[in-house]
Every structure is written in C-alpha cells, then in structure tokens.
Amino acid sequence: MAAVASVVVAVGTVSGLVSALDEDDRGADEARPEVTRPVSFAPLPAESSPTPSATRTASASASPKRKASPTATPTPTRAASQSAAASTRLYRHPESQVLDWVRDHSGDPRQALIKSRIADQPAAVWFAEYAPGTITARVRAVTGGGAASGRVPVVVAYAIPGRDCGGASEGGAPDLDAYDAWIDRFAAGLGSGEVVVILEPDSIAQADCLSSGQRAGRFASLARAGRVLKAANPRARVYYDAGHSGWNPAAKQADLLRQAGAGSAASSDGVFSNVSNFHRTADEAAYDRQVLAALGGPSSLGAIIDTSRNGNGAPADGEWCDPDGRSLGRTPTLDTGEPRIDGYLWVKLPGESDGCKGSPGTFTPSYAYDLASS
C-alpha cells in the first residue's frame, strides 16, 4: 500500500486486523479472526492533544456496474440512539488473533500486559473475504453473540471491488453487481439488535485511482449498501469513510461522501476516520466535525474515530507502516461526551502488523507489546 493510505492490510485476499473465517475453517455459524516484564502501567489514555498531520495520495484502478436500490427504513433520532449506545457496552468477540496468542503463551513475560491492555478490549470484526455463500452465517455469529450478551458489536464490511487501489489490501468482490449481492447477504446477518457497521474503509477517500465512471459506480453501490443495511436492521448504525485529518481537505471529503450517500439518514449515521492510522483524537474530532458541517444532512449524523494506535499521534515523517514510538489510544466507547462524536473504537486491532514488523495483517506480539507499553 502507498504511504498515503490508511494502512488496511491483508493476508492474501483477506484483511488482517480482525476478520471472520470461511465455514470450511470453523463452521458456518462460528466467526473468528484471520491470520489478520512485570511493570505497572498507567491506565489507557483518556484524552489526546493535537499534532501536525501528514498528507497523502493514491493510485490504481477498478471496474464497475449498477443495479437497482431498495427503499429504507427511517433512522431513529440521534438523542435516542446515543442514549441507547451509552447504556450498552461494546461487544468483545471471543475469537481474535490476539486472544489466540494470549491463550497459547501463558508463560510469555509479555502476555499479561498484552492481555490486559489489548486482548481484553472490544475491537471490530472484519469481513474481508469474498465468500458470499457463508457471509450471512459469519456475520450472524458476531451479531448474535453481541445480542446474547447485551453488548454492541462492531463489524467492518470490506469487499468493495478494486479496494486499496491494487495495494497490499487488494481483493474484494469481482465487480459491483457481485458486491451488491454480497452486501444483501451481509445485511441478512445483522439481526435486530444494535450494531455498528464500518462500511468499506478507504473506499471514498482513496477513490482518485478510479475513473469518473468507476467512481460513480462505486459511490452508487455504497449508497445502496447503506440503504440495504439499515433496511435489514433499523438499529444498525452505518458509518462511511472520511479518511483522516491528514488526507483530503474536509470540503473535498464531504463532497465525495455526499456522492456516496453518506449525507442521507436513509443510508447513513455519519462518518468514520483514522482507521488503521495514527492521528490524534483531537485532530480527528475537529476534522470530522468540519466534514459533517460541509456534508450537510440531518443533525443526527455523527462520527466514529479509530483510536486503536493514536495515543502518541502520527509520526512527523508520515511513516505509516508499523512506525516506532506509537501507543494505544483511548479505550473503545460509544459514550464520548463529545458533540457529534459517536464513538472511539478500535477498528484496527493493535498488534496486527501493517507489514513491516510482521507479515501483513498478522498479530505480532513484539509490536503489540511496544504499543501497550508506550
């Protein structure tokens, strides 16, 4: 992946981070992640301060087609959805690369710290493999687990054609017709409980690699996806790609988001930013509010910020691949106390490599320990 992108990396055609396996590996009703010193440490950070941001660019291509879109169910008001979110804890899916490592390395001196500061925290579950025959069951395994525990799962849909502009996370559905059908099946697994959907990281901010026709096709599919997801489960909260504060100017990003349907309550609850990146929470919150103001739409639209690795901010040199000196950011929550900021989430699981400290998308304990102990 070029240095400008959000560092969403993959193993083969599947994102690292936290994802779900095909039923051939674990069974259609079980989802799990993909091969995506005794000292006292202070609690995870409660606040961040601003830092300068690096710029970024992108390149490559994709191929599209269109199909019809269903109508949607109206979104609940912001006050109601935030109240429900604040009273419900986030769901920690019991299968992940870090949990596997913790279970298998009880004698490792790094284990206790990695467990308490990373493995015990709720994180997003990624669905990045184009496996339409099993996607409904795999999504249902996660959302059902959340509902059974009274907690809110976070799921990431990551199968847009031409994703990552042919970079390290390339893959996804073969074309937009196939993607639309995959989204239908993804939506069928959402259940009826509250769920947060992170819709296609980098799909909007990193669209310059597409021709104008390809971009229009992608954005139409994304707008349709939001409507399908919210029609399938009116309690689903769907967020669209806003890049991050060091990428596109807010006005440009808002224009792209508007074309992709993110300004409509029929398809969107707002935007997400900083996925797999390092920009400080304060920078992201200010940027996201600027994007939302330029986007327009209902006041119910809010923002999600990935705080998994942003405790020390982005490196001054713009390094994106497992940079040294980074640390965990704010703990995941849907109760931020910040206007128009709906949540701080760990979308990228800390310790899963961008490809420099370990194989892309795989859990790397030395990297996890560095993040947890900084």
Side-chain angles (χ1 to χ4, degrees):
M1 163 165 303
V4 297
S6 288
V7 197
V8 178
V9 296
V11 178
T13 61
V14 183
S15 170
L17 311 183
V18 185
S19 60
L21 282 180
D22 191 288
E23 66 176 338
D24 292 339
D25 297 302
R26 277 295 182 105
D29 293 321
E30 183 178 0
R32 68 168 311 252
E34 176 71 57
V35 176
T36 76
R37 69 203 172 198
V39 181
S40 296
F41 291 92
L44 293 176
E47 53 186 281
S48 307
S49 56
T51 189
S53 298
T55 57
R56 56 198 269 185
T57 58
S59 64
S61 63
S63 60
K65 265 193 220 171
R66 276 281 22 77
K67 67 161 60 163
S69 307
T71 56
T73 305
T75 310
T77 64
R78 182 181 188 76
S81 65
Q82 283 193 325
S83 174
S87 64
T88 312
R89 289 176 293 173
L90 287 161
Y91 176 58
R92 189 197 70 164
H93 188 52
E95 297 288 346
S96 71
Q97 290 190 78
V98 64
L99 285 170
D100 286 347
W101 184 88
V102 164
R103 290 168 188 143
D104 294 342
H105 293 83
S106 58
D108 192 300
R110 302 167 296 184
Q111 192 256 21
L113 182 64
I114 290 174
K115 179 182 184 301
S116 64
R117 292 175 67 85
I118 297 178
D120 286 349
Q121 298 297 330
V125 180
W126 288 64
F127 297 87
E129 183 178 12
Y130 179 69
T134 59
I135 186 63
T136 300
R138 291 186 290 127
V139 173
R140 186 180 293 128
V142 176
T143 58
S149 64
R151 301 183 182 187
V152 181
V154 179
V155 295
V156 182
Y158 191 55
I160 198 76
R163 69 184 184 200
D164 194 25
C165 292
S169 297
E170 66 181 338
D175 56 46
L176 289 176
D177 282 340
Y179 178 74
D180 291 347
W182 184 87
I183 281 289
D184 291 346
R185 295 184 178 198
F186 185 101
L190 290 178
S192 59
E194 188 175 1
V195 56
V196 173
V197 182
I198 303 298
L199 182 61
E200 300 295 340
D202 287 355
S203 62
I204 298 173
Q206 194 179 26
D208 288 347
C209 62
L210 304 178
S211 70
S212 59
Q214 290 169 341
R215 192 160 49 246
R218 173 182 286 190
F219 289 172
S221 264
L222 289 171
R224 177 189 183 277
R227 293 192 295 271
V228 168
L229 295 166
K230 294 185 73 63
N233 178 357
R235 297 184 70 194
R237 299 164 63 182
V238 180
Y239 294 87
Y240 282 71
D241 169 37
H244 62 61
S245 58
W247 202 340
N248 293 323
K252 176 181 177 180
Q253 189 63 32
D255 180 60
L256 296 173
L257 283 157
R258 192 177 302 109
Q259 295 174 52
S264 168
S267 55
S268 170
D269 290 273
V271 303
F272 62 82
S273 71
N274 208 42
V275 167
S276 301
N277 221 285
F278 305 91
H279 297 274
R280 289 189 187 273
T281 303
D283 290 340
E284 293 305 300
Y287 173 74
D288 289 340
R289 291 189 189 104
Q290 292 172 1
V291 170
L292 290 168
L295 176 62
S299 60
S300 61
L301 300 182
I304 294 292
I305 299 171
D306 186 350
T307 59
S308 58
R309 307 187 296 180
N310 73 343
N312 286 341
D317 62 2
E319 177 57 54
W320 60 268
C321 186
D322 302 334
D324 292 328
R326 302 311 98 198
S327 70
L328 303 176
R330 299 189 190 195
T331 53
T333 180
L334 290 172
D335 186 16
T336 71
E338 292 285 338
R340 303 203 81 173
I341 307 301
D342 290 351
Y344 306 135
L345 301 180
W346 285 10
V347 183
K348 166 83 170 184
L349 184 66
E352 291 190 357
S353 176
D354 301 322
C356 292
K357 293 185 183 296
S359 298
T362 58
F363 180 74
T364 306
S366 59
Y367 183 33
Y369 186 77
D370 288 346
L371 290 167
S373 57
S374 296

